[in-house]
Amino acid sequence: MSQELDYLSRCVTAGRLSRREFLGRAAAIGVSATFANSLLAGAVKAQAPQRGGILKVGLKGGSATDSLDPATSATLMASFSHCWGEYLVARTPDGDGLERRIAEEIGSSKDAKTWTMKIRKGIEFHNGKTVTAEDVVATLERHADAKSKSGALGLLKSIDTIKANGDEVVVTLKDANVDFPYLMTDYHLVIQPNGGKDNPTEGISAGPYKVAVNAPGARHVGELFANFWQSDKMGFADQVEIIALNDSTARISALQAGQVHIIDWVEPKVVDLIKRVPNLKVAAVSGTGYYCFNMFCDTPPFDNNDLRMAFKLAIDRQEMLDKILRGYGTVGNDFPINTSYPLFPEDIPQREFDADQAKHYYKKSGHSGPILLQVAEAAFPGAVDAAQLYQQSCAKAGITLEVKRVPDDGYFSEVWNKQPFCATEWSGRATQDQTYSTTYLSTASWNDTHFYNEKFDKLLIEARAELDQDKRKSLYREIAIIGRDEGGVIVPMFNQWINAISDKVGGYVGGATNPFSLAKCWLTA
């Protein structure tokens, strides 16, 4: 009951629940109005931002090959980018709206092909230079260039021209896209001086923290930027220190010992253990994230769709949800969209474990012999155990799956998107189009299943321009079915974000695609 009340009071202070609703919910669980009001008053006082101190965070996903270049950032480095980087727009925590940041205003032509962004005046880069429309143009140009190897490349392929016009940036698209403003929330699109064309790894932007320490695979420190343009909204700690802790046990030990204040990717199997520690709390938020197994569609034996279908039917999704996520999530259906997204196609039949059908398609593929799956705990919490469950369910279909556990360090540089069958996780994106365009469009630089399908691409581009919501939903349904039945991704489950936090941290608010913003947190003591 105490954790539920604490959660509800934080919802009120975050503006997601009214005082009346809070009192009603409290009464429903047997709490008096007097006690509920006193709890709420304490929560409001505690939520007033406090300044100073060093916020320390233990995160997974660090690697010795990490770079400050936002174009290639992922996992841990993406979290650091949100400390020192500034963006045109950002998603609100509930995932439904947009915060105007460097882009003060965004408008479009009636056909959604021409978009105009007014650049906010008076925002300063860490090097003292003022952010201009030309810097924004250069940033988008760099990420739209295949040479940058940007993770946002697939999102920007539809751009025809980008021009600065005074304090405005005018973007003309080859094809209409009603979701264009949401594409600008992509975490790679950090606005840099001259777009980062001179030195993208310099770590200079206009965010609340300046890069003070950059030790890839070890630690990263952001130091408060005195001239941050919105210091009343974020940037409360003097420093934010991110420590790379790829091992789950090491993260939990560091939190319990008080060496860090927040850890990410808590395994569901240890949630109850953490809840019993008096000064710690667990935050679980549903969203767009999913765990998956990727097959290269252009690499034998996975270039045979019958074989891919056999592996999709040979996985027991409900077993994984129960044993790996312990219920902290939902089953997947082999496409990367769930009910968190608008226009979700809810009438697509749920794929179930079917040993007989898996055996049928495996035999039809003509393949024989073992198949290698490479996995590490770095892929997602419980990935090794999930792979072993997968191995067991494959055996019931007469399929020999060999599971090779590889080192956590370097997994995302040496295994993911390099090996033809491996495990990974995705946080999802702001819209269906952004999710598909980042990972499954033929031209996407992060097309980690090597899925190339002309009809899929054509429908995706058509859906971007469709203003009629019913027609657009129908297009997304067709897109999902193609990916589900012909693609190379196996999505057994959508995960909740599970993080653990010290009671010394204030300002923590979970979100749909990003579990928290370090720059908005502060230390209460």
PDB file of all heavy atoms in Angstrom, residues 62-68 76-77 213-220 244 409:
ATOM      1  N   GLY A  62      27.692   0.063 -21.612  1.00  0.00           N
ATOM      2  CA  GLY A  62      28.945   0.770 -21.863  1.00  0.00           C
ATOM      3  C   GLY A  62      29.939  -0.110 -22.599  1.00  0.00           C
ATOM      4  O   GLY A  62      29.992  -1.322 -22.393  1.00  0.00           O
ATOM      5  N   SER A  63      30.740   0.509 -23.463  1.00  0.00           N
ATOM      6  CA  SER A  63      31.730  -0.236 -24.244  1.00  0.00           C
ATOM      7  C   SER A  63      32.952   0.637 -24.471  1.00  0.00           C
ATOM      8  O   SER A  63      32.848   1.867 -24.574  1.00  0.00           O
ATOM      9  CB  SER A  63      31.137  -0.654 -25.593  1.00  0.00           C
ATOM     10  OG  SER A  63      32.131  -1.178 -26.453  1.00  0.00           O
ATOM     11  N   ALA A  64      34.092  -0.001 -24.576  1.00  0.00           N
ATOM     12  CA  ALA A  64      35.341   0.722 -24.832  1.00  0.00           C
ATOM     13  C   ALA A  64      35.339   1.406 -26.190  1.00  0.00           C
ATOM     14  O   ALA A  64      36.143   2.302 -26.441  1.00  0.00           O
ATOM     15  CB  ALA A  64      36.531  -0.235 -24.729  1.00  0.00           C
ATOM     16  N   THR A  65      34.431   0.995 -27.056  1.00  0.00           N
ATOM     17  CA  THR A  65      34.363   1.594 -28.398  1.00  0.00           C
ATOM     18  C   THR A  65      33.340   2.728 -28.479  1.00  0.00           C
ATOM     19  O   THR A  65      33.113   3.276 -29.557  1.00  0.00           O
ATOM     20  CB  THR A  65      33.997   0.519 -29.431  1.00  0.00           C
ATOM     21  OG1 THR A  65      32.733  -0.062 -29.089  1.00  0.00           O
ATOM     22  CG2 THR A  65      35.045  -0.573 -29.480  1.00  0.00           C
ATOM     23  N   ASP A  66      32.723   3.102 -27.363  1.00  0.00           N
ATOM     24  CA  ASP A  66      31.723   4.165 -27.369  1.00  0.00           C
ATOM     25  C   ASP A  66      32.316   5.488 -27.846  1.00  0.00           C
ATOM     26  O   ASP A  66      33.492   5.788 -27.592  1.00  0.00           O
ATOM     27  CB  ASP A  66      31.134   4.355 -25.966  1.00  0.00           C
ATOM     28  CG  ASP A  66      30.151   3.261 -25.593  1.00  0.00           C
ATOM     29  OD1 ASP A  66      29.641   2.592 -26.504  1.00  0.00           O
ATOM     30  OD2 ASP A  66      29.905   3.075 -24.381  1.00  0.00           O
ATOM     31  N   SER A  67      31.482   6.276 -28.501  1.00  0.00           N
ATOM     32  CA  SER A  67      31.900   7.574 -29.034  1.00  0.00           C
ATOM     33  C   SER A  67      30.896   8.636 -28.625  1.00  0.00           C
ATOM     34  O   SER A  67      29.700   8.362 -28.460  1.00  0.00           O
ATOM     35  CB  SER A  67      31.993   7.512 -30.561  1.00  0.00           C
ATOM     36  OG  SER A  67      32.127   8.816 -31.118  1.00  0.00           O
ATOM     37  N   LEU A  68      31.368   9.874 -28.502  1.00  0.00           N
ATOM     38  CA  LEU A  68      30.488  10.993 -28.211  1.00  0.00           C
ATOM     39  C   LEU A  68      29.712  11.451 -29.442  1.00  0.00           C
ATOM     40  O   LEU A  68      28.808  12.288 -29.318  1.00  0.00           O
ATOM     41  CB  LEU A  68      31.294  12.185 -27.665  1.00  0.00           C
ATOM     42  CG  LEU A  68      31.730  12.118 -26.199  1.00  0.00           C
ATOM     43  CD1 LEU A  68      32.627  13.294 -25.861  1.00  0.00           C
ATOM     44  CD2 LEU A  68      30.523  12.094 -25.270  1.00  0.00           C
ATOM     45  N   LEU A  76      23.818   3.360 -23.283  1.00  0.00           N
ATOM     46  CA  LEU A  76      24.393   4.247 -22.279  1.00  0.00           C
ATOM     47  C   LEU A  76      24.747   5.612 -22.852  1.00  0.00           C
ATOM     48  O   LEU A  76      24.480   6.652 -22.233  1.00  0.00           O
ATOM     49  CB  LEU A  76      25.629   3.589 -21.656  1.00  0.00           C
ATOM     50  CG  LEU A  76      26.381   4.361 -20.566  1.00  0.00           C
ATOM     51  CD1 LEU A  76      27.004   3.377 -19.567  1.00  0.00           C
ATOM     52  CD2 LEU A  76      27.485   5.230 -21.149  1.00  0.00           C
ATOM     53  N   MET A  77      25.337   5.649 -24.034  1.00  0.00           N
ATOM     54  CA  MET A  77      25.749   6.928 -24.618  1.00  0.00           C
ATOM     55  C   MET A  77      24.550   7.788 -24.986  1.00  0.00           C
ATOM     56  O   MET A  77      24.632   9.027 -24.987  1.00  0.00           O
ATOM     57  CB  MET A  77      26.631   6.687 -25.837  1.00  0.00           C
ATOM     58  CG  MET A  77      27.963   6.046 -25.524  1.00  0.00           C
ATOM     59  SD  MET A  77      28.925   6.952 -24.264  1.00  0.00           S
ATOM     60  CE  MET A  77      29.384   8.433 -25.169  1.00  0.00           C
ATOM     61  N   VAL A 213      34.158  14.529 -18.371  1.00  0.00           N
ATOM     62  CA  VAL A 213      34.945  13.293 -18.440  1.00  0.00           C
ATOM     63  C   VAL A 213      34.294  12.373 -19.460  1.00  0.00           C
ATOM     64  O   VAL A 213      33.072  12.179 -19.433  1.00  0.00           O
ATOM     65  CB  VAL A 213      35.007  12.580 -17.069  1.00  0.00           C
ATOM     66  CG1 VAL A 213      35.748  11.250 -17.197  1.00  0.00           C
ATOM     67  CG2 VAL A 213      35.670  13.465 -16.025  1.00  0.00           C
ATOM     68  N   ASN A 214      35.106  11.823 -20.342  1.00  0.00           N
ATOM     69  CA  ASN A 214      34.605  10.850 -21.319  1.00  0.00           C
ATOM     70  C   ASN A 214      35.565   9.679 -21.369  1.00  0.00           C
ATOM     71  O   ASN A 214      36.575   9.712 -22.075  1.00  0.00           O
ATOM     72  CB  ASN A 214      34.473  11.494 -22.706  1.00  0.00           C
ATOM     73  CG  ASN A 214      34.001  10.508 -23.751  1.00  0.00           C
ATOM     74  OD1 ASN A 214      33.072   9.746 -23.507  1.00  0.00           O
ATOM     75  ND2 ASN A 214      34.647  10.508 -24.917  1.00  0.00           N
ATOM     76  N   ALA A 215      35.282   8.663 -20.583  1.00  0.00           N
ATOM     77  CA  ALA A 215      36.112   7.454 -20.529  1.00  0.00           C
ATOM     78  C   ALA A 215      35.256   6.284 -20.996  1.00  0.00           C
ATOM     79  O   ALA A 215      34.582   5.631 -20.178  1.00  0.00           O
ATOM     80  CB  ALA A 215      36.637   7.217 -19.116  1.00  0.00           C
ATOM     81  N   PRO A 216      35.227   6.014 -22.307  1.00  0.00           N
ATOM     82  CA  PRO A 216      34.346   4.975 -22.865  1.00  0.00           C
ATOM     83  C   PRO A 216      34.494   3.639 -22.154  1.00  0.00           C
ATOM     84  O   PRO A 216      35.602   3.168 -21.903  1.00  0.00           O
ATOM     85  CB  PRO A 216      34.804   4.888 -24.328  1.00  0.00           C
ATOM     86  CG  PRO A 216      35.352   6.247 -24.628  1.00  0.00           C
ATOM     87  CD  PRO A 216      36.029   6.677 -23.356  1.00  0.00           C
ATOM     88  N   GLY A 217      33.358   3.059 -21.807  1.00  0.00           N
ATOM     89  CA  GLY A 217      33.351   1.768 -21.146  1.00  0.00           C
ATOM     90  C   GLY A 217      33.575   1.849 -19.656  1.00  0.00           C
ATOM     91  O   GLY A 217      33.517   0.837 -18.953  1.00  0.00           O
ATOM     92  N   ALA A 218      33.822   3.063 -19.128  1.00  0.00           N
ATOM     93  CA  ALA A 218      34.095   3.220 -17.701  1.00  0.00           C
ATOM     94  C   ALA A 218      33.164   4.253 -17.066  1.00  0.00           C
ATOM     95  O   ALA A 218      32.254   3.903 -16.319  1.00  0.00           O
ATOM     96  CB  ALA A 218      35.555   3.602 -17.487  1.00  0.00           C
ATOM     97  N   ARG A 219      33.389   5.541 -17.390  1.00  0.00           N
ATOM     98  CA  ARG A 219      32.563   6.582 -16.785  1.00  0.00           C
ATOM     99  C   ARG A 219      32.492   7.816 -17.677  1.00  0.00           C
ATOM    100  O   ARG A 219      33.400   8.091 -18.466  1.00  0.00           O
ATOM    101  CB  ARG A 219      33.064   6.959 -15.382  1.00  0.00           C
ATOM    102  CG  ARG A 219      34.466   7.522 -15.364  1.00  0.00           C
ATOM    103  CD  ARG A 219      35.003   7.605 -13.945  1.00  0.00           C
ATOM    104  NE  ARG A 219      34.426   8.695 -13.175  1.00  0.00           N
ATOM    105  CZ  ARG A 219      35.006   9.891 -13.040  1.00  0.00           C
ATOM    106  NH1 ARG A 219      36.163  10.156 -13.649  1.00  0.00           N
ATOM    107  NH2 ARG A 219      34.448  10.825 -12.311  1.00  0.00           N
ATOM    108  N   HIS A 220      31.397   8.545 -17.502  1.00  0.00           N
ATOM    109  CA  HIS A 220      31.167   9.782 -18.240  1.00  0.00           C
ATOM    110  C   HIS A 220      30.597  10.792 -17.251  1.00  0.00           C
ATOM    111  O   HIS A 220      29.691  10.467 -16.489  1.00  0.00           O
ATOM    112  CB  HIS A 220      30.194   9.568 -19.396  1.00  0.00           C
ATOM    113  CG  HIS A 220      30.599   8.454 -20.317  1.00  0.00           C
ATOM    114  ND1 HIS A 220      31.415   8.639 -21.399  1.00  0.00           N
ATOM    115  CD2 HIS A 220      30.307   7.129 -20.278  1.00  0.00           C
ATOM    116  CE1 HIS A 220      31.606   7.482 -22.011  1.00  0.00           C
ATOM    117  NE2 HIS A 220      30.939   6.547 -21.346  1.00  0.00           N
ATOM    118  N   ALA A 244      29.612   2.970 -16.140  1.00  0.00           N
ATOM    119  CA  ALA A 244      29.265   1.796 -16.943  1.00  0.00           C
ATOM    120  C   ALA A 244      29.336   0.544 -16.074  1.00  0.00           C
ATOM    121  O   ALA A 244      30.416   0.154 -15.621  1.00  0.00           O
ATOM    122  CB  ALA A 244      30.210   1.670 -18.134  1.00  0.00           C
ATOM    123  N   ASP A 409      30.888  -7.050 -22.819  1.00  0.00           N
ATOM    124  CA  ASP A 409      31.656  -5.924 -23.347  1.00  0.00           C
ATOM    125  C   ASP A 409      31.822  -6.058 -24.860  1.00  0.00           C
ATOM    126  O   ASP A 409      32.295  -7.084 -25.355  1.00  0.00           O
ATOM    127  CB  ASP A 409      33.028  -5.842 -22.673  1.00  0.00           C
ATOM    128  CG  ASP A 409      33.772  -4.571 -23.039  1.00  0.00           C
ATOM    129  OD1 ASP A 409      33.138  -3.496 -23.045  1.00  0.00           O
ATOM    130  OD2 ASP A 409      34.983  -4.649 -23.324  1.00  0.00           O
TER     131      ASP A 409
END
